[in-house]
Amino acid sequence: VVDDLGAPFEDLASFVDACRVHDDFREITGADWNLEIGTLIEAVAEAQTDPPMLIFDSVKGHMAGYRVASLVYASARRVAIALGLPPDADRLMLARLAAAKLEHANPIAPTTVADGLVLENQFTGDDVDVLKFPALLFHEHDGGRYLGTGDTVMTRDPDSGWVNTGTYRLQVHERNLLGLWMSPGQQGRQICEKYWAQGRSAPIAATFGVDPLVFMASHQKLPWGTSELDYAGGLRGRPLQVIEGQVTGLPIPAHAEIAIEGEAPPPSEQVRDEGPFGEWPGYYSGGSRGTGDGQPVIRVRAVYHRNRPILHDQTPLWPGAPTLGIRFDSGVLWEQLEQAGIQDIHGVYSHNRYFVVVSIRQRYAGHALQTALAVMGCGAGARNGRYIVIVDEDIDPSDMKQVLWAMQTRVDPVSDITTIDGCWSTPLDPRMPPERRAQRNYVNSRAIILAVRPFAWRDKFPLATRASADLRRRVLDKYRDRLGIEALG
Ligand SMILES: [Mn+2]
C-alpha cells in the first residue's frame, strides 16, 4: 500500500518530515545528552498516550545538525503513517493490519549501488570517532552512552552467505570501540559464534537511522536464513538500495543516516563489561550484569554519515512509558492463534511481553483455557511472558481500564488462575532467581487468568452498567461540540 501521506518512505529524514506535518512533533535545542534528554523522553512518553515525536538538535557539546530523533513510533498514528495504513483506524485494528502487512511481504532482494547519501561523509582509521554523534547516557545507572538502540546490525553467515539484520543494543566504549549485547540464541549471536569457533573476527556493519520499513523488518523474528533486507524490500514493494561496505563487503542501506563497519573479535581475544542498561521490563538487565560475563565488542574501522544526520533513539523505557504506538506483535499473535484453530477471537493485545490479553466470544466450556494455552505455545507468545488474561468480547483488550475491571469482577482467584512453571524466559527477566541465573536455566512461570464470565452460568452473570457503544455514540454525537474533549472520540 502506498499511502498518500508518503509511504513507503525513502529514508528516516523524509518520515520525520511527514510526521512534522501529519502528527504531533516537538523540536528542542540545547539539551544535554547526559541524562537530560533521556529524562525528557521518558516523562513525555509517560504523560500521554500517543506522545509527540521529539527531535533534539544542538545537543550540548555537539555540533548543530547532529540530531537525535526519539519516540519516533510512539504514536499509533505514526506507526500507521510509517506502514501506509489508515492513520485514524483504532489501535486494535491497526495492530491487525500492521501484522498482516508485516507477515505477508514477499521478499525482494536489495540492489547494490555505487553511492548513497550515507557516504556524504566518510571516516576511516584514526579519523573514526563515534562520539561526534550525540549518543545518550539515558537512564541514571546506565553503564555508558548508547549509540545503538534504534539500530540495524548486519552480519553474514560464513557457511551460507546469508545476511542477517537485527536490532541489538550498542554501547560506546571508546571513540572506535563499541560494546555489543546479543541475547543467547539470537541469530546475530549465532552467526558471530561461528566465526569465533574458527578463531576469526566476525565482520559487522550497523546503521543508526534508517527508513521505517527497514527498521521494522529488523525487529521481525524471521526464520534462520531469511534476510530482513529482502523482507524490507518486499514491504517497500521495490528493492532496497544498498552500498557494499568497503571494509566488510556487507550491504548497508544507502539512505542510512549513520553507519559503521568493523569486526567483533572472539571473546577469548577481547571483551568488555557491557551495561548495565535500562531494558524494557523497566530494570537494568542483560549484559555483564545479567550474565556475569564480559560481552563482545566491535572494533570500528569506518564511520559514514549523511549531512545533518539523525541518530534514531529507541531506548527501552519502563512499560508505563510506551515507545511503540501499536504493538504489532499483538497482530502477529492474533494470526497465529487463528492458525492454531482458536475460534471467535475479538481482539489480541500484548501490552508488553509480560501482559497479553485476548478477547473471545466463548463458544463452549474450556474455550478460554484453550485460548490461553495456545498463547503460551505460539511462537509469538511463548518467549518471555508472565500473565495471560482471557476476557469476554465486551472488553477491549488494548484498554487496561476495561481489562482490570474484568480481572476485578469476573475472576474467582482459586478457580480462575492457573500457574505453569518451566517456561521459556530470558536473562532480561528481573524476577529470574539467582539460582536459575547461575545455572543459566532461563525459565520462569506463567499465570493464566480467565477473566471471563464462567461459561456454565454466563447467562446468570449480572448485567454490566457501562453505556452500550451505540447509546454512547448517539449521545456524544449530540454533545461533542459543547464538551470540547477530544479524547471522547
Ligand atoms: Mn533474523
Side-chain angles (χ1 to χ4, degrees):
V1 184
V2 177
D3 186 76
D4 57 5
L5 300 183
F9 294 91
E10 283 306 318
D11 53 16
L12 179 59
S14 58
F15 177 67
V16 167
D17 286 342
C19 293
R20 206 185 286 266
V21 176
H22 299 293
D23 198 37
D24 206 2
F25 189 98
R26 302 280 190 285
E27 201 148 15
I28 293 169
T29 56
D32 195 335
W33 55 266
N34 186 0
L35 297 179
E36 214 172 74
I37 291 177
T39 305
L40 280 172
I41 292 167
E42 181 185 87
V44 169
E46 278 176 28
Q48 65 182 87
T49 312
D50 299 319
M53 188 190 303
L54 300 179
I55 299 282
F56 297 91
D57 199 349
S58 300
V59 175
K60 191 174 172 189
H62 292 272
M63 295 200 313
Y66 286 69
R67 297 168 289 171
V68 180
S70 189
L71 303 180
V72 175
Y73 304 110
S75 83
R77 201 176 157 78
R78 287 197 292 280
V79 177
I81 293 170
L83 290 172
L85 299 172
D88 297 315
D90 76 59
R91 204 174 297 276
L92 220 49
M93 181 54 61
L94 282 171
R96 193 81 206 269
L97 290 171
K101 176 153 187 162
L102 293 171
E103 290 273 285
H104 301 299
N106 292 316
I108 300 175
T111 306
T112 303
V113 294
D115 200 3
L117 291 171
V118 69
L119 297 178
E120 280 179 332
N121 302 275
Q122 306 181 32
F123 304 90
T124 54
D126 289 345
D127 295 329
V128 166
D129 182 6
V130 298
L131 282 165
K132 70 195 295 187
F133 308 109
L136 305 178
L137 183 71
F138 200 105
H139 314 95
E140 279 160 288
H141 300 284
D142 283 350
R145 300 172 74 173
Y146 276 74
L147 182 68
T149 54
D151 60 23
T152 69
V153 177
M154 274 70 69
T155 48
R156 188 190 301 276
D157 177 35
D159 299 326
S160 66
W162 155 59
V163 174
N164 183 65
T165 305
T167 295
Y168 308 107
R169 73 191 206 198
L170 298 180
Q171 180 177 356
V172 179
H173 290 313
E174 314 276 351
R175 64 212 297 272
N176 56 6
L177 191 70
L178 298 174
L180 174 61
W181 161 246
M182 298 182 289
S183 265
Q186 283 182 309
Q187 291 172 351
R189 187 170 189 118
Q190 290 187 52
I191 289 174
C192 287
E193 283 168 349
K194 287 192 183 188
Y195 290 91
W196 298 337
Q198 299 167 3
R200 297 157 64 196
S201 293
I204 286 196
T207 68
F208 304 90
V210 285
D211 79 87
L213 297 179
V214 170
F215 180 69
M216 290 187 190
S218 170
H219 277 73
Q220 297 307 301
K221 299 282 175 212
L222 299 181
W224 178 262
T226 304
S227 158
E228 287 81 5
L229 296 181
D230 293 9
Y231 176 80
L235 286 172
R236 293 158 67 93
R238 56 176 181 267
L240 179 71
Q241 297 200 330
V242 295
I243 58 152
E244 193 178 281
Q246 297 150 27
V247 176
T248 61
L250 283 161
I252 298 171
H255 68 261
E257 298 287 330
I258 301 166
I260 60 108
E261 288 189 274
E263 80 255 345
S268 56
E269 189 179 318
Q270 187 176 12
V271 288
R272 280 284 188 100
D273 274 345
E274 196 277 347
F277 187 57
E279 277 289 353
W280 63 266
Y283 299 88
Y284 298 93
S285 52
S288 298
R289 167 176 290 203
T291 62
D293 296 329
Q295 294 298 322
V297 295
I298 301 174
R299 294 171 179 157
V300 182
R301 301 297 187 207
V303 174
Y304 315 109
H305 71 86
R306 295 167 59 140
N307 298 331
R308 294 180 48 74
I310 305 173
L311 173 61
H312 178 183
D313 167 66
Q314 194 68 32
T315 300
L317 302 178
W318 76 286
T323 54
L324 201 54
I326 300 167
R327 296 284 313 203
F328 40 76
D329 50 344
S330 312
V332 175
L333 179 58
W334 192 335
E335 293 222 344
Q336 292 187 3
L337 290 173
E338 286 188 346
Q339 284 159 14
I342 305 300
Q343 285 177 270
D344 287 297
I345 300 172
H346 274 240
V348 175
Y349 210 76
S350 166
H351 291 265
N352 58 66
R353 291 191 200 129
Y354 291 145
F355 200 92
V356 175
V357 186
V358 181
S359 159
I360 56 168
R361 178 184 290 277
Q362 297 182 80
R363 291 298 181 190
Y364 44 86
H367 188 184
L369 183 59
Q370 179 198 5
T371 305
L373 292 171
V375 170
M376 292 186 55
C378 280
R383 181 169 172 263
N384 219 8
R386 183 130 24 232
Y387 295 102
I388 299 155
V389 183
I390 311 298
V391 295
D392 292 304
E393 76 278 6
D394 61 321
I395 301 294
D396 175 349
S398 72
D399 181 344
M400 279 302 286
K401 281 185 205 163
Q402 295 184 40
V403 172
L404 285 173
W405 174 57
M407 290 170 67
Q408 289 156 21
T409 57
R410 298 182 196 181
V411 174
D412 172 49
V414 166
S415 46
D416 297 327
I417 301 179
T418 305
T419 59
I420 299 179
D421 203 1
C423 303
W424 185 13
S425 187
T426 75
L428 285 189
D429 186 346
R431 184 58 180 80
M432 186 63 61
E435 316 83 77
R436 285 187 180 177
R437 199 180 285 285
Q439 298 167 333
R440 295 168 196 251
N441 180 23
Y442 300 126
V443 293
N444 71 350
S445 69
R446 305 291 157 84
I448 291 171
I449 302 176
L450 303 182
V452 290
R453 299 180 186 91
F455 185 79
W457 53 279
R458 64 196 184 287
D459 297 337
K460 298 190 185 69
F461 209 87
L463 203 55
T465 59
R466 189 166 185 260
S468 65
D470 184 52
L471 172 62
R472 177 180 298 256
R473 194 174 319 107
R474 271 189 287 125
V475 174
L476 286 179
D477 282 350
K478 191 168 165 190
Y479 289 96
R480 182 172 287 113
D481 294 349
R482 273 184 265 176
L483 288 166
I485 301 173
E486 205 167 311
L488 287 170

